[in-house]
Amino acid sequence: MQEARRQACVAVEFYNRTGEKASFYDFVVHMHLAWQNLLHADLDRRAVNSYFRKPNGRYVRDKDGEKQSWDLGTCLKKEFPDDQDPVRANVELFIGLRNKIEHRFQEAFIMETSAYAHALVLNFEAELVKRFGAEFSLGTQLRFPIFVQSLTPEGIKEQKALRRQLPLSARNYITKFEAKFDPSVLEDERFIYRVMLTPVKGPKSEADTAFTFVRMDELTAEDQRDLMNKKSTAVVIEKLRSVALKDEVLPTPAAKAVEALIPFQFNVSDFTKMRYRHEVGGRGGKRMAHSRDDYCVWIASTGNWVYTPKYIKKCADELQTADAYIAALGKLPMPKKDNTAKVA
């Protein structure tokens, strides 16, 4: 158990190092060892035999004659039998990701998987305390790091550029891995833990800590307004949008959906003009300024943007009259054959 704690601290140290001193691969390897040692320690404490056996009951041994203990994947299946358990899913993600890491792209890996890595460490801490007690918590050793990336416009721009460098094989792996799980698992903070930092100006009281943790889904609208006036810095949980698509569509069906809501002809080229006008989706491989999740979603596995009913309605609302159509598209509108607008 103490070795598990040590490995977790080493992993976080590698992750939080700056520049070339950081190593995402070492973080993944040491967190793998931390989880494996933690689960083995608890199995030993409960006197559970955690060694592989042959069908005849004899132990499986390695080339040195030592008994082979359960690997981390086996431990997870024994300790978390539900294959939809978000804690198990999070650790399994990193087991598979370990062989996908390329050192030259490690900054891209860090940017793309930071929320998963955060959950990996927090889950380890929670299991450590649950199985062995609060006195073994890593809370006194692992602190919130000081950083500037993603807190400045330049940092955010760099972060987006780094994400685009992630190898396709890694993107596909993450997409296919997540496809196995229910949306409730993918939205669970034990699978992916994302935070939004909101600095609040004001004098610090004795009761204040550097960061106050709150759950956004437990706050009413009034609570959220009050939070903005608190004399502290708040960290709020942000749920990840489900990767399972619902009504999002590609440009061609999106154009047909817009046409069904307006009195004029409207094709995919017109749709492209509209989204360029609104700066929605991608242009030249880069995300445009207003590509909000409620307007469009990037599907890494297929390399396509898909568009939401909300954005389709936005386009249709702006094209209800001939004058609005001319202003938006720069051409005269052609009436549809039936000259009626249909509601989808």
Side-chain angles (χ1 to χ4, degrees):
M1 182 269 292
Q2 293 290 6
E3 177 63 10
R5 297 175 76 246
R6 188 186 76 82
Q7 291 286 353
C9 289
V10 170
V12 175
E13 181 185 353
F14 271 115
Y15 192 92
N16 286 338
R17 288 179 180 179
T18 58
E20 294 181 357
K21 295 179 181 179
S23 175
F24 182 65
Y25 179 79
D26 285 308
F27 165 77
V28 173
V29 169
H30 285 284
M31 282 306 302
H32 184 110
L33 294 172
W35 270 98
Q36 185 165 294
N37 279 294
L38 174 64
L39 297 180
H40 274 283
D42 195 38
L43 290 167
D44 290 346
R45 180 183 63 82
R46 286 150 42 203
V48 175
N49 190 326
S50 57
Y51 294 95
F52 287 110
R53 289 178 180 270
K54 297 178 182 179
N56 62 10
R58 293 182 179 180
Y59 289 111
V60 175
R61 298 181 182 274
D62 59 24
K63 60 182 180 180
D64 297 319
E66 297 293 329
K67 293 185 292 186
Q68 286 190 6
S69 58
W70 293 344
D71 55 57
L72 179 55
T74 302
C75 289
L76 289 170
K77 291 174 182 176
K78 299 289 185 181
E79 294 295 281
F80 304 92
D82 181 3
D83 61 6
Q84 293 289 311
D85 187 293
V87 174
R88 171 178 161 179
N90 175 264
V91 182
E92 287 179 335
L93 173 69
F94 282 92
I95 292 176
L97 192 63
R98 180 174 172 175
N99 295 326
K100 303 288 182 183
I101 300 171
E102 298 180 42
H103 180 73
R104 58 183 173 147
F105 297 123
Q106 80 160 1
E107 288 296 326
F109 276 96
I110 290 174
M111 290 299 100
E112 188 68 22
T113 64
S114 59
Y116 303 99
H118 201 164
L120 182 69
V121 175
L122 289 178
N123 292 342
F124 176 85
E125 163 73 359
E127 289 297 317
L128 175 66
V129 171
K130 182 175 76 173
R131 293 167 187 262
F132 290 97
E135 64 270 28
F136 295 108
S137 168
L138 294 176
T140 59
Q141 299 185 45
L142 301 182
R143 301 174 181 86
F144 204 96
I146 296 174
F147 57 91
V148 296
Q149 191 174 43
S150 80
L151 293 184
T152 63
E154 293 78 12
I156 294 172
K157 197 175 294 183
E158 180 190 357
Q159 195 175 48
K160 290 180 178 179
L162 284 170
R163 280 198 171 105
R164 290 195 291 271
Q165 296 175 14
L166 192 70
L168 182 60
S169 61
R171 288 185 181 276
N172 287 342
Y173 165 73
I174 294 173
T175 301
K176 290 177 181 178
F177 182 88
E178 290 186 331
K180 300 183 295 186
F181 298 97
D182 294 332
S184 60
V185 176
L186 302 178
E187 294 172 356
D188 195 300
E189 66 191 46
R190 292 169 297 174
F191 178 70
I192 183 166
Y193 191 96
R194 305 179 76 201
V195 297
M196 179 176 65
L197 303 182
T198 308
V200 182
K201 296 180 180 180
K204 182 178 181 295
S205 70
E206 292 183 1
D208 287 335
T209 57
F211 295 94
T212 302
F213 289 83
V214 297
R215 289 182 59 89
M216 182 63 85
D217 57 359
E218 293 178 356
L219 299 176
T220 64
E222 184 177 354
D223 291 335
Q224 293 178 32
R225 286 193 297 271
D226 291 343
L227 182 64
M228 299 304 296
N229 298 317
K230 276 200 168 185
K231 298 177 180 180
S232 63
T233 300
V235 178
V236 296
I237 307 306
E238 179 190 21
K239 284 193 174 181
L240 182 69
R241 178 187 175 90
S242 170
V243 299
L245 299 179
K246 296 179 181 177
D247 300 317
E248 294 87 345
V249 292
L250 290 166
T252 298
K256 290 181 179 178
V258 173
E259 187 180 51
L261 295 169
I262 65 176
F264 315 111
Q265 294 180 22
F266 187 86
N267 58 37
V268 69
S269 296
D270 299 328
F271 182 79
T272 300
K273 288 181 182 179
M274 290 297 289
R275 67 180 187 81
Y276 277 14
R277 180 169 178 260
H278 296 139
E279 293 188 285
V280 168
R283 171 182 269 173
K286 295 182 179 180
R287 186 182 184 98
M288 289 193 283
H290 301 295
S291 296
R292 304 170 356 185
D293 280 351
D294 58 344
Y295 282 170
C296 59
V297 180
W298 171 251
I299 307 301
S301 61
T302 62
N304 291 311
W305 288 96
V306 290
Y307 299 89
T308 67
K310 183 173 182 178
Y311 181 62
I312 290 169
K313 184 177 185 302
K314 175 180 174 64
C315 291
D317 288 347
E318 293 182 15
L319 300 171
Q320 292 298 322
T321 66
D323 289 342
Y325 189 100
I326 294 169
L329 297 176
K331 66 178 184 179
L332 293 173
M334 297 291 292
K336 291 189 296 187
K337 290 181 179 181
D338 60 3
N339 201 33
T340 60
K342 301 175 183 178
V343 179

